Amino acid sequence: MIDSIDNNTAAPSGEADFSGAVSPEAEISSAAPAQSEPLPGLLGEDGGFVPDWYARFDELKGMEKSLSKFKTPEALAKSYAELERMRHYPGVENEEQMERFRRMAGLPESEEEYRLERPESTPENEWNAGLAERMARTAYRYGVPPEAMNALQETMSQAYEEAREQVEDSRLEMETRAEQSLQQEWGANYERNMGRATAALQRLASETGVDADALLDHPELGSNPDVIRLLFQASRLLDEAPLHHSGNGTPSPAEEAMRMESDPSHPLYDAYMSVNHPNHRYANELYDRLTSR
């Protein structure tokens, strides 16, 4: 006789015990990521933006001043649409579109408010305020932002300074070559001959009303050894020709010597009176020749 089945009999050892298993629903629930906190709403009950709505986005940092002007999504959308229309430069012929372009580019409201700053590399005494004003008017008309125009000015100022330095370096190089050439030619008489050449130039300039200093600073004259040789030869001829006066007659050698030591307008007065003057030796020799006649 078959015994009745005992429901309490242990399960066969070959079958798994599912008493501690996790249900599929529980597995899905545990695998799902935790829900992040939703961002607060950007719109208020009236449909407009809440205050400082843009501060919630890291990508918008630095644009707070511009974005604070938009109070509604419609205003922001219109601005974006306007920006899309202005993607191409309108040209100064279309003043209405240029006005919108200037606003979008952040230009001042009027050309009178458009200002250009003096570049740091430009000395104050070289700053041309009138030219800067003309450039500002042109930049405003064509919609160039002041920041861009000031940066362009700085670049131009630096380029001008570099060019000026190159010219000065070239002039110094020419002077060095001329000095070396004449020193080799004149030897121990170099200083004396240079003084005579300079004095000759000053004497000729005084009789013709020419600025002698400007000629000496001219790179094609003051640094030209051929010109200096010519002036030296002229000095030897001028030793015998006293300076002319506006009055009647020609001064005698003694009168000429007197003018050298007493008349500040005489071209050799400073050279004769100052022992530190580069032409003192020549002026002294000429004075001695004039007084010995």
Side-chain angles (χ1 to χ4, degrees):
M1 179 177 178
I2 302 174
D3 295 333
S4 60
I5 299 174
D6 186 357
N7 292 330
N8 295 323
T9 303
S13 60
E15 297 181 6
D17 183 3
F18 297 102
S19 60
V22 180
S23 67
E25 293 80 6
E27 289 183 353
I28 295 175
S29 176
S30 63
Q35 294 293 328
S36 59
E37 291 293 331
L39 288 173
L42 297 177
L43 303 179
E45 295 181 357
D46 60 353
F49 287 124
V50 298
D52 299 334
W53 60 270
Y54 40 81
R56 304 174 189 180
F57 304 95
D58 292 338
E59 297 85 352
L60 300 182
K61 286 185 177 179
M63 304 177 64
E64 293 83 358
K65 183 176 180 181
S66 297
L67 293 173
S68 64
K69 297 183 294 185
F70 301 109
K71 306 301 183 184
T72 65
E74 291 81 5
L76 181 60
K78 288 180 179 179
S79 177
Y80 178 77
E82 184 71 14
L83 180 62
E84 284 294 308
R85 285 194 293 269
M86 296 300 296
R87 289 179 64 184
H88 301 289
Y89 185 71
V92 294
E93 294 80 9
N94 193 325
E95 181 58 29
E96 182 179 352
Q97 292 186 14
M98 277 301 302
E99 288 183 5
R100 291 198 296 267
F101 181 85
R102 296 186 189 106
R103 289 196 300 270
M104 298 298 295
L107 269 67
E109 294 184 1
S110 65
E111 67 175 22
E112 288 75 19
E113 300 176 50
Y114 194 110
R115 294 288 186 272
L116 294 180
E117 301 175 359
R118 176 175 62 85
E120 294 182 359
S121 57
T122 300
E124 187 172 356
N125 62 337
E126 296 183 6
W127 173 245
N128 190 329
L131 177 59
E133 184 176 354
R134 291 171 56 191
M135 293 177 63
R137 298 291 179 267
T138 302
Y140 181 85
R141 183 187 179 206
Y142 282 86
V144 182
E147 295 83 357
M149 200 63 194
N150 285 322
L152 179 60
Q153 272 201 132
E154 181 66 36
T155 300
M156 293 176 61
S157 177
Q158 292 175 358
Y160 174 76
E161 183 63 25
E162 292 171 359
R164 182 162 55 183
E165 291 177 357
Q166 290 178 356
V167 170
E168 180 63 17
D169 291 343
S170 178
R171 185 183 70 83
L172 292 176
E173 184 178 355
M174 290 177 61
E175 288 181 355
T176 300
R177 289 201 301 266
E179 182 178 354
Q180 292 174 346
S181 173
L182 293 174
Q183 281 180 340
Q184 184 177 4
E185 178 181 340
W186 289 338
N189 293 325
Y190 171 77
E191 293 293 341
R192 175 178 176 273
N193 293 353
M194 285 294 294
R196 293 181 62 132
T198 303
L201 175 62
Q202 293 173 338
R203 182 171 182 178
L204 291 170
S206 69
E207 292 191 348
T208 58
V210 176
D211 187 349
D213 292 334
L215 293 177
L216 289 172
D217 291 337
H218 195 289
E220 298 298 329
L221 297 177
S223 302
N224 190 322
D226 290 334
V227 173
I228 297 174
R229 292 187 185 97
L230 181 63
L231 290 171
F232 170 66
Q233 294 300 328
S235 71
R236 302 172 66 179
L237 299 175
L238 290 173
D239 284 349
E240 305 298 328
L243 283 173
H244 295 295
H245 287 260
S246 57
N248 296 326
T250 299
S252 66
E255 291 173 335
E256 187 68 22
M258 183 176 297
R259 281 197 63 223
M260 285 181 61
E261 64 179 349
S262 62
D263 186 356
S265 66
H266 193 285
L268 294 178
Y269 173 82
D270 292 335
Y272 178 74
M273 298 300 294
S274 175
V275 294
N276 296 321
H277 196 283
N279 295 329
H280 176 72
R281 181 178 175 180
Y282 167 71
N284 215 26
E285 291 177 353
L286 177 59
Y287 180 85
D288 291 341
R289 287 196 298 271
L290 291 172
T291 55
S292 63
R293 295 179 182 178

